[in-house]
Amino acid sequence: MGGAAAGTKWIHHIQRLSAAKVSAEAVERGQSRVIDASLTLIRERAKLKAELLRALGGVKASASLLGVPLGHNSSFLQGPAFAPPRIREAIWCGSTNSSTEEGKELNDPRVLTDVGDVPIQEIRDCGVEDDRLMHVISESVKTVMEEEPLRPLVLGGDHSISYPVVRAVSEKLGGPVDILHLDAHPDIYDCFEGNTYSHASSFARIMEGGYARRLLQVGLRSITKEGRDQGKRFGVEQYEMRTFSKDREKLENLKLGDGVKGVYVSVDVDCLDPAFAPGVSHIEPGGLSFRDVLNILQNLQGDVVAADVVEFNPQRDTVDGMTAMVAAKLVRELTAKISK
């Protein structure tokens, strides 16, 4: 049974328990125990990894992988829920080495650590609704950030996860960040198909919350009137692919984060042309090349305090895992930007 179907089954089970007069308090206590156990596992893993890094010394920041395998807020396909393990598998695939392009070694824990996944499906199986689930994601991110020198590098999951992640980063650092968002879509609908937590609405929630000072959206080529209107409402800097040749020099020489708490980078894999990354839910021709994306990321000036890679859908990937390798390469190069 797929994750989404299993989650629906157990949510119905919780509803039947309620109908059978199992008290709401008893269900709440059980849910809280599961959530506490989930946060404890992430906390203890983060603490162990951070203690090792502090003992090694000489580390100002280390990227720390945190998986958020959530797919139910996708408006089309829910396959991104299965992405984190596939990305990890590709990162350590024997077909390539463990070096980033600038020469940082991923098998050095001072560069990259891993604190595991937020157990999204297990929590949803207990009947936890999205308001509380988003809080759990935020608390998981804060738990990682509490352990210096770890900085969260989040593996999605659909793009709805960016809202609770950015919220956590901003709240933990005590102020807004600048966001570089690479995507075919602006994901800024006020409420898409009745879902305020839709993957198509995540950046509306971020901007409403005041968690970002500047939001730069790059790679856009599927944008509606509402997307443009919302961009104007929130003062978003939107760069569409139809003008990329004109914007290229600026985008490959960005300087962000001055006067705020740092830079957050969100990479939706569908920012890439499907020739480079076919394994996505929403295939939009006319996108960025992989080298375009790397040029933007590698030349970015700013303190990257956290990042995410989202919307890789293993269920639509090629048989040889081409898009998984693309997502893994994005993670590698973001690791290089974060670690120091």
Side-chain angles (χ1 to χ4, degrees), residues 102-175:
E102 69 176 65
K104 291 184 178 179
E105 291 291 336
L106 298 189
N107 52 17
D108 183 342
R110 292 169 296 185
V111 174
L112 180 66
T113 58
D114 192 337
V115 297
D117 289 353
V118 181
I120 296 294
Q121 195 56 55
E122 290 79 358
I123 294 171
R124 291 190 74 227
D125 282 352
C126 298
V128 173
E129 301 293 342
D130 262 7
D131 284 344
R132 197 173 183 192
L133 184 62
M134 293 295 166
H135 176 75
V136 173
I137 295 170
S138 292
E139 288 304 305
S140 299
V141 172
K142 290 180 182 179
T143 294
V144 175
M145 295 179 70
E146 285 169 3
E147 297 295 336
E148 292 287 347
L150 303 185
R151 293 187 176 184
L153 176 44
V154 178
L155 309 179
D158 68 44
H159 222 150
S160 69
I161 70 167
S162 292
Y163 164 55
V165 175
V166 171
R167 177 176 64 183
V169 170
S170 175
E171 289 179 349
K172 189 65 180 174
L173 295 178

Side-chain angles (χ1 to χ4, degrees), residues 16-237:
R16 285 196 297 272
L17 287 177
S18 299
K21 304 196 185 309
V22 174
S23 72
E25 291 79 10
V27 173
E28 166 73 20
R29 286 195 300 271
Q31 292 172 341
S32 295
R33 289 194 300 270
V34 172
I35 290 170
D36 289 345
S38 303
L39 291 172
T40 296
L41 181 58
I42 292 171
R43 181 179 301 111
E44 293 304 318
R45 290 192 66 172
K47 186 177 296 185
L48 176 62
K49 303 299 176 70
E51 287 173 349
L52 169 63
L53 295 181
R54 291 193 291 268
L56 289 171
V59 188
K60 292 183 179 180
S62 173
S64 187
L65 300 182
L66 174 67
V68 184
L70 184 154
H72 65 273
N73 283 322
S74 174
S75 60
F76 182 41
L77 302 174
Q78 298 188 3
F82 303 104
R86 300 287 78 79
I87 296 173
R88 285 188 177 94
E89 181 181 17
I91 290 171
W92 303 112
C93 176
S95 71
T96 186
N97 59 48
S98 61
S99 294
T100 69
E101 289 197 353
E102 69 176 65
K104 291 184 178 179
E105 291 291 336
L106 298 189
N107 52 17
D108 183 342
R110 292 169 296 185
V111 174
L112 180 66
T113 58
D114 192 337
V115 297
D117 289 353
V118 181
I120 296 294
Q121 195 56 55
E122 290 79 358
I123 294 171
R124 291 190 74 227
D125 282 352
C126 298
V128 173
E129 301 293 342
D130 262 7
D131 284 344
R132 197 173 183 192
L133 184 62
M134 293 295 166
H135 176 75
V136 173
I137 295 170
S138 292
E139 288 304 305
S140 299
V141 172
K142 290 180 182 179
T143 294
V144 175
M145 295 179 70
E146 285 169 3
E147 297 295 336
E148 292 287 347
L150 303 185
R151 293 187 176 184
L153 176 44
V154 178
L155 309 179
D158 68 44
H159 222 150
S160 69
I161 70 167
S162 292
Y163 164 55
V165 175
V166 171
R167 177 176 64 183
V169 170
S170 175
E171 289 179 349
K172 189 65 180 174
L173 295 178
V177 293
D178 285 345
I179 300 177
L180 174 60
H181 169 206
L182 293 99
D183 201 328
H185 317 86
D187 293 348
I188 203 165
Y189 283 99
D190 180 60
C191 179
F192 192 72
E193 296 181 343
N195 182 6
T196 57
Y197 292 124
S198 169
H199 69 159
S201 299
S202 50
F203 287 91
R205 304 289 83 78
I206 287 168
M207 299 308 287
E208 286 172 348
Y211 303 122
R213 178 188 64 175
R214 293 178 67 188
L215 171 58
L216 284 75
Q217 298 185 317
V218 180
L220 302 179
R221 56 196 187 277
S222 179
I223 179 170
T224 63
K225 182 179 183 299
E226 182 178 349
R228 292 191 177 93
D229 290 345
Q230 285 281 87
K232 292 174 184 176
R233 172 190 173 194
F234 292 117
V236 180
E237 300 163 58

